[in-house]
Amino acid sequence: CSTQPGISKINNLNRKIEQMSSNRINWTVVAALLLAGGLLVANGNRQVAGAKDSPAVRGVVKFDGPQPNPRSIRMTEKGGKPSGCRKLYKGALLDRNRVVSEKGELANVFVYVSEGLKEKSYPLPEKAALMNQDRCMFEPRVQGVQVGQDFLMKNSDPLIHNVRSYSMRNRPFNIAQPPKTPDRKKTFRRKENEIMIQCDFHPWMKAYIFVMDHPYFAVTSAKGEYSIKGLPAGKYTLTAWHEEFGEQDAEITVDATGAARAGFTFKAKKK
């Protein structure tokens, strides 16, 4: 897992973000950097969002409203003590709960088939899903795994983290991972939506995992794009979920080639 593709690229992009943080920031560029160049994570594999090599259920998720600026994170541990994470950054560490491009494209939205599938067993992906603790952030922010798929947790930082799951249908866990320790593995046995993962040492570190009983899901890229391949012809309900802006449904009809389109538009919740 130490050679999992994309990890070194994410490290480089994070450094670019901190170099920009003390100057005037182009939030569109930040949004693209936060999503590591438009890569999405699904089934433990990386796909290029919007690839045109085969028919798929595709669409774009947008945000209706002024572009929200990413919030700067105070890198303090419980009790207000300055965190060792500060040594990993020259500038500000930006939150990733609202990644919106200048054009209103919304990243980190989990899109999945919620109704219409027949009950059946699906083969598991060959690769394990991976969540990396990298520069005091969980990578990726949002991902999906299948029931029974291996889920690996990696600590790439020079300081200790822990991974606490706030699951309801699956057994919760809390695993400490000191630096340079082996990857830890868990397997989710039941379907469950949006399990929040958090670090107690560094409470701003959050991620969300969906445990699905099928492979028809994706996460939007920096351009708000998603692509779900291989869905049989038929009528389905497609659900889009965002950690802050909520959840929406869309009815789709997939043709004989496996293609369909559905877009979603989110608005900020009223306070």
Side-chain angles (χ1 to χ4, degrees), residues 29-252:
V29 175
V30 170
L33 292 174
L34 290 175
L35 267 290
L39 295 175
L40 62 83
V41 178
N43 289 339
N45 299 316
R46 290 184 177 270
Q47 303 173 320
V48 177
K52 305 297 183 182
D53 55 335
S54 63
V57 177
R58 292 190 173 92
V60 177
V61 181
K62 293 189 175 182
F63 175 76
D64 182 10
Q67 183 185 20
N69 293 337
R71 303 182 182 105
S72 179
I73 294 173
R74 292 184 61 193
M75 288 180 277
T76 56
E77 299 177 0
K78 288 186 176 180
K81 179 182 177 181
S83 171
C85 295
R86 288 185 176 181
K87 296 180 181 180
L88 303 179
Y89 290 87
K90 294 181 180 179
L93 172 60
L94 302 178
D95 201 347
R96 302 178 190 180
N97 61 331
R98 302 180 304 171
V99 182
V100 181
S101 75
E102 193 174 56
K103 295 180 179 179
E105 300 149 336
L106 183 58
N108 286 330
V109 177
F110 190 78
V111 183
Y112 65 101
V113 174
S114 55
E115 293 184 20
L117 289 170
K118 297 180 180 179
E119 292 188 11
K120 60 175 291 186
S121 297
Y122 296 92
L124 295 178
E126 294 181 1
K127 294 183 179 179
L130 174 68
M131 186 178 70
N132 188 28
Q133 296 149 87
D134 181 53
R135 303 188 80 215
C136 295
M137 295 290 278
F138 287 128
E139 298 286 357
R141 177 78 175 198
V142 180
Q143 68 174 307
V145 303
Q146 286 183 237
V147 174
Q149 181 182 3
D150 287 342
F151 174 66
L152 297 180
M153 293 159 282
K154 181 182 186 68
N155 184 3
S156 296
D157 284 342
L159 51 145
I160 188 171
H161 295 302
N162 73 293
V163 182
R164 180 190 292 273
S165 75
Y166 289 88
S167 47
M168 302 294 290
R169 301 194 71 240
N170 289 277
R171 185 174 181 177
F173 57 83
N174 187 6
I175 297 174
Q177 287 194 270
K180 298 182 180 180
T181 54
D183 298 349
R184 300 295 298 271
K185 182 173 72 174
K186 284 289 183 180
T187 304
F188 297 98
R189 299 298 181 185
R190 295 182 178 180
K191 178 185 175 184
E192 186 170 353
N193 286 358
E194 72 254 36
I195 300 172
M196 189 178 78
I197 303 293
Q198 189 170 23
C199 174
D200 296 324
F201 293 105
H202 312 106
W204 67 84
M205 290 178 63
K206 292 182 181 179
Y208 296 88
I209 298 171
F210 281 70
V211 184
M212 309 302 293
D213 56 3
H214 60 76
Y216 303 116
F217 54 86
V219 180
T220 56
S221 70
K223 294 184 178 181
E225 297 173 327
Y226 71 89
S227 175
I228 300 174
K229 296 182 179 180
L231 192 59
K235 295 183 178 181
Y236 303 92
T237 299
L238 205 62
T239 298
W241 173 94
H242 185 270
E243 63 180 278
E244 185 165 323
F245 301 137
E247 190 174 271
Q248 292 184 15
D249 292 334
E251 304 302 318
I252 62 170

